[in-house]
Amino acid sequence: MNIEALCADLEQHGAVYWHTTRPNFKRVQDLVDEQGPAFLPLCARPGGDFLNFMIRSDLVDGGLESIEKRVAQAIGRWQGAGEPVPHNEPI
């Protein structure tokens, strides 16, 4: 995983998600925390799955449940599109 690219995507797009295991997400989260923007690690739950993502802290104005729901919907749309990589999906 290219941490610099992930940090750049987080800066540019505001939130990032990728397929990974929870322990790997935590490892990457720590690496981003060392050099990236301030963010919150959250979990979207499309279809009952637990999908970790990061969102810039300055974009969170309360309502974490609303953000998680919107990200889950965006992930669902991405999955419906065949999971193209790279891909930007509005939340």
Side-chain angles (χ1 to χ4, degrees):
M1 161 129 326
N2 183 332
I3 298 302
E4 289 179 16
L6 185 63
C7 290
D9 285 346
L10 189 54
E11 284 279 3
Q12 180 180 2
H13 302 292
V16 293
Y17 161 76
W18 67 98
H19 281 286
T20 191
T21 62
R22 259 187 226 173
N24 188 51
F25 181 85
K26 174 64 173 132
R27 185 177 64 79
V28 172
Q29 173 187 324
D30 291 342
L31 293 170
V32 171
D33 195 37
E34 290 175 7
Q35 62 180 301
F39 68 92
L40 291 174
L42 298 172
C43 183
R45 294 172 180 85
D49 290 331
F50 291 88
L51 305 176
N52 297 301
F53 68 97
M54 296 178 204
I55 186 166
R56 284 191 347 236
S57 298
D58 63 314
L59 299 177
V60 177
D61 56 4
L64 295 181
E65 186 176 315
S66 172
I67 290 169
E68 290 173 342
K69 182 179 179 181
R70 290 181 3 231
V71 170
Q73 292 167 343
I75 291 171
R77 291 189 302 270
W78 169 71
Q79 289 171 330
E83 301 183 11
V85 176
H87 182 77
N88 294 319
E89 187 67 45
I91 57 170

